[in-house]
Amino acid sequence: MSVTIGVDPHKASHTAAALDQAGQLLDQQQFPATDAGYQALRRWAESWPQRCWAVEGAGGMGRPLAQRLVADREHVLDVPAKLAARVRVLSTGHGRKTDPVDAVSVAAVAHNAAGLRQVVVEDHAVVLHLLTNRREDLVGMRTQTINRLHRLLVDLVPGGARRNLTANRAAALLAALTPAGQPALTRWQLATELVADVRQLEERIAAVEARIKTAVAQSNTSLLELFGVGPVLAARFLGEVGDVRRFPTKHHFAAHTGTAPLEASSGQVIRHRLSRAGDRKLNHALYMMAMVQVRRPSTGQAYYRRKLAEGKSPKEALRCLKRRLSDAVYRCLLADQHHQPSPVGLA
């Protein structure tokens, strides 16, 4: 008898529910999120040799459990929280949210829905994802520090500092100042400390970018052959997409990147509007790639100008270019996957 085991994972506990082929509840239990709790969960599941696991949010809160199950050669499906919530709302019991109810809803989704993503062992893409997120955090911290520096310089320098402030420019401004009074001296001292913070952050950003460059080189990706794609953007694409074969066509991939326009036609007027859906990090990476091509002689620039000549606005032409680049990235990722072994996903 084939059994679907749905799991509602939390930081401190995991609630599991087993459904048979008819969707009837066989049993449900709660286990602590510890090594002992995991072993107890596995022993409980051994009652059904033919089993399939369904973990809610296997890319988020459920990642540790899902990865441990896959490493133990279990078949695991990733159930999006939205799908489980819809099942819970439409089920009996007035849609009350409890851990046991959530576990049953997760199992019901896996039992009835098709096309759920199978969880595989984490690979090199996860390394790139972690490194690009770390770089993003450091760049954000640098931006915040420079903004604080701008606020102090407004009170120290007439008119403040110009845009695109760097640590060297700020240091030069501060070196030319002679603060008068204790408030001005304190501002000068704090600004000097912020300049040191910016320099330290820039060193850390350079270090993580070097690690990204090495990791991208190890991936042997063809993305670097695309105009406007360097190691950082290539790492973003590889880290965010993972296994590109989960997208059947370039159209599915474009919907995921938010570059597939949404129809907004009315009567005889046929128009398409910007899509706010999809992965915004991938969308931003495509935007950066498009801006590089628009500003420099390239096939992308020629395509952009051709769209302008057709009567499209600059924003509409840029959206068309982003969609074209999305297709190019999809082809490269697909070609890379053909030269690599299939990801490990064991039933």
Side-chain angles (χ1 to χ4, degrees):
M1 179 178 62
S2 178
V3 171
T4 303
I5 302 176
V7 182
D8 179 35
H10 291 280
K11 182 178 180 180
S13 66
H14 302 314
T15 303
L19 302 185
D20 62 15
Q21 291 175 313
Q24 298 299 314
L25 179 64
L26 298 174
D27 191 16
Q28 59 184 21
Q29 297 286 336
Q30 187 175 72
F31 303 90
T34 61
D35 288 337
Y38 175 75
Q39 297 302 327
L41 173 64
R42 289 296 310 278
R43 288 193 298 271
W44 173 76
E46 287 176 358
S47 303
W48 307 285
Q50 296 182 3
R51 58 184 176 268
C52 171
W53 296 82
V55 179
E56 183 181 47
M61 181 63 72
R63 180 188 293 113
L65 175 62
Q67 285 298 316
R68 193 164 184 178
L69 288 170
V70 171
D72 287 341
R73 308 181 68 85
E74 295 286 337
H75 182 79
V76 183
L77 298 177
D78 179 17
V79 176
K82 287 185 178 180
L83 290 182
R86 291 172 186 170
V87 171
R88 184 184 69 249
V89 170
L90 295 175
S91 64
T92 59
H94 306 286
R96 294 188 180 92
K97 180 173 173 58
T98 64
D99 290 347
V101 170
D102 282 348
V104 172
S105 299
V106 171
V109 171
H111 184 266
N112 298 304
L116 293 177
R117 183 179 70 89
Q118 181 178 344
V119 180
V120 298
V121 175
E122 291 181 334
D123 57 9
H124 192 63
V126 177
V127 175
L128 294 169
H129 178 77
L130 294 172
L131 289 175
T132 52
N133 282 349
R134 176 57 176 165
R135 179 186 178 277
E136 185 178 19
D137 291 341
L138 290 173
V139 170
M141 292 167 63
R142 181 183 62 182
T143 301
Q144 291 178 346
T145 305
I146 289 178
N147 288 341
R148 296 188 182 103
L149 189 55
H150 268 294
R151 288 197 294 269
L152 289 174
L153 289 175
V154 165
D155 293 318
L156 293 171
V157 180
R162 293 182 300 174
R163 296 181 61 184
N164 301 321
L165 182 64
T166 64
N168 290 337
R169 291 176 186 171
L173 288 173
L174 293 171
L177 292 176
T178 303
Q182 190 60 41
L185 178 61
T186 301
R187 288 191 179 97
W188 186 90
Q189 292 171 339
L190 292 176
T192 302
E193 293 174 5
L194 289 177
V195 169
D197 292 342
V198 171
R199 284 177 171 157
Q200 184 183 39
L201 286 168
E202 287 176 345
E203 291 176 358
R204 295 164 70 181
I205 291 171
V208 76
E209 285 180 349
R211 295 172 66 185
I212 289 174
K213 185 176 181 180
T214 300
V216 170
Q218 292 173 349
S219 68
N220 296 319
T221 180
S222 60
L223 285 172
L224 295 175
E225 300 173 7
L226 297 177
F227 190 87
V229 176
V232 173
L233 284 186
R236 175 63 74 191
F237 286 127
L238 293 169
E240 291 295 323
V241 174
D243 186 2
V244 71
R245 287 171 290 194
R246 62 194 176 103
F247 303 103
T249 67
K250 63 181 181 180
H251 308 296
H252 291 82
F253 183 72
H256 181 70
T257 60
T259 55
L262 301 177
E263 187 171 359
S265 303
S266 177
Q268 301 299 318
V269 179
I270 306 299
R271 291 185 62 85
H272 292 82
R273 65 175 179 83
L274 174 67
S275 171
R276 295 292 183 184
D279 189 313
R280 305 318 298 172
K281 291 182 178 180
L282 286 176
N283 190 279
H284 182 261
L286 289 169
Y287 170 80
M288 298 299 294
M289 184 180 173
M291 293 305 298
V292 171
Q293 295 202 7
V294 166
R295 292 170 179 172
R296 299 182 181 180
S298 62
T299 56
Q301 185 187 72
Y303 177 82
Y304 176 78
R305 290 178 176 176
R306 187 164 70 249
K307 290 299 178 182
L308 290 178
E310 293 174 1
K312 294 187 180 297
S313 68
K315 287 186 177 181
E316 290 174 333
L318 188 63
R319 292 169 196 165
C320 293
L321 178 57
K322 285 170 62 179
R323 171 56 194 271
R324 188 182 180 94
L325 296 179
S326 175
D327 294 346
V329 169
Y330 177 75
R331 288 193 297 269
C332 284
L333 292 174
L334 209 57
D336 292 345
Q337 287 286 1
H338 287 327
H339 293 90
Q340 296 177 3
S342 300
V344 179
L346 300 169

